């Protein structure tokens, strides 16, 4: 069955960096677009980043442009999110999510999430 | 601008039915959306995709008492025979070129 397992979350000081990973299994990872979605404490879901099935196209939400980078390694079935210059407002649970398609479309599977806390 | 609007809260009695609404912004009435459920302290779960013509396709293991429909720019999720485990937050989601958009979510209380 489809499994998405995030890792890499933790407590980090403002201005520092963190790298999240998502290990995918149970499907042909290289055939699907992938996203990162976050949820601040007590808030709703916020889309963060997308990467096409082959890594040829990427996009991030304006609030993280220039700070966050999404990438994937199809040989290792792994999705990553490099987060630099972290701010308090980046504190959230980060979910990786699979799209039913090569890039865009409905999210059909979610990971369990990893908590990132940005605090001094 | 692609925006999804949801009512913040809804409630219905155990065993009754409830219809949740997701409204697409002007000019986007032909967009499909997806519904996701988030139970307390859990990650989201995909429920179904709802197309502009009202057809819908469910995710794995989603029971028949959940259904989707459409009218104009509105997309609906109907849950019948409400059970206690249906008490959750429900989010609608749509997509554009290289972006995803989420509604603000509806908190469903089962009385």
């Amino acid at each position: 069955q489809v499994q998405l397992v995030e890792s890499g979350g933790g407590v980090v000081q403002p201005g520092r960096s963190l790298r999240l990973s998502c290990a995918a299994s149970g499907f042909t990872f290289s055939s699907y677009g992938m996203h990162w979605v976050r949820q601040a404490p007590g808030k709703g879901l916020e889309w963060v980043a997308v990467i096409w099935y082959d890594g040829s196209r990427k996009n991030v939400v304006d609030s993280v442009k220039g700070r966050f980078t999404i990438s994937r390694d199809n040989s290792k079935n792994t999705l990553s999110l490099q987060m630099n210059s972290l701010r308090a407002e980046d504190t959230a649970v980060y979910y990786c999510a699979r799209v039913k398609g090569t890039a865009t479309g409905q999210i059909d599977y979610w990971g369990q999430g990893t908590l990132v806390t940005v605090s001094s | 601008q692609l925006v999804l609007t949801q009512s913040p809260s809804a409630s219905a009695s155990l065993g009754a039915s409830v219809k949740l609404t997701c409204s697409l912004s002007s000019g986007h009435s032909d967009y499909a959306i997806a519904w996701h459920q988030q139970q307390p302290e859990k990650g989201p779960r995909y429920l179904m995709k709802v197309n502009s013509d009202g057809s819908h396709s469910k995710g794995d293991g989603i029971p028949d008492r959940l259904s989707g429909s459409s009218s104009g720019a509105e997309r609906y999720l109907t849950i019948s025979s409400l059970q206690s485990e249906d008490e959750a937050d429900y989010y609608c989601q749509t997509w554009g070129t290289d972006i995803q958009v989420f509604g603000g979510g509806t908190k469903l209380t089962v009385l």
Side-chain angles (χ1 to χ4, degrees), chain A residues 29-106:
Chain A
F29 181 68
S30 58
S31 296
Y32 291 87
M34 297 295 296
H35 293 257
W36 286 100
V37 177
R38 67 184 178 184
Q39 186 171 35
K43 302 295 184 182
L45 300 172
E46 179 188 28
W47 172 75
V48 175
V50 59
I51 187 166
W52 280 34
Y53 70 105
D54 58 357
S56 61
R57 281 176 63 155
K58 312 173 186 181
N59 192 27
V60 298
V61 69
D62 285 348
S63 59
V64 308
K65 265 192 170 72
R67 300 190 299 122
F68 289 14
T69 302
I70 187 172
S71 61
R72 66 190 297 159
D73 186 337
N74 285 347
S75 68
K76 296 181 179 178
N77 292 348
T78 300
L79 175 72
S80 297
L81 185 68
Q82 178 66 42
M83 304 186 295
N84 299 331
S85 303
L86 282 161
R87 305 169 181 168
E89 54 265 36
D90 296 319
T91 293
V93 175
Y94 285 73
Y95 297 99
C96 77
R98 190 188 87 164
V99 170
K100 194 176 174 68
T102 55
T104 195
Q106 79 267 31

Side-chain angles (χ1 to χ4, degrees), chain B residues 26-48:
Chain B
S26 177
H28 301 100
S29 61
D30 59 339
Y31 278 52
I33 66 113
W35 285 103
H36 303 273
Q37 177 196 59
Q38 187 175 32
Q39 294 173 320
E41 306 307 317
K42 290 190 174 182
R45 178 191 185 190
Y46 168 67
L47 297 177
M48 68 182 72

Side-chain angles (χ1 to χ4, degrees), chain B residues 11-93:
Chain B
S11 62
S13 300
L14 202 63
S17 293
V18 67
K19 191 174 186 179
L20 306 182
T21 303
C22 175
S23 300
L24 286 149
S25 49
S26 177
H28 301 100
S29 61
D30 59 339
Y31 278 52
I33 66 113
W35 285 103
H36 303 273
Q37 177 196 59
Q38 187 175 32
Q39 294 173 320
E41 306 307 317
K42 290 190 174 182
R45 178 191 185 190
Y46 168 67
L47 297 177
M48 68 182 72
K49 176 187 179 185
V50 181
N51 295 310
S52 58
D53 63 359
S55 61
H56 61 276
S57 56
K58 296 181 190 177
D60 297 337
I62 304 305
D64 290 344
R65 59 189 187 83
L66 272 69
S67 63
S69 58
S70 290
S71 177
E74 313 272 285
R75 306 287 179 265
Y76 306 106
L77 172 67
T78 299
I79 309 173
S80 57
S81 302
L82 272 168
Q83 301 177 5
S84 57
E85 56 262 36
D86 296 324
E87 186 158 292
D89 294 325
Y90 292 83
Y91 293 92
C92 56
Q93 170 233 337

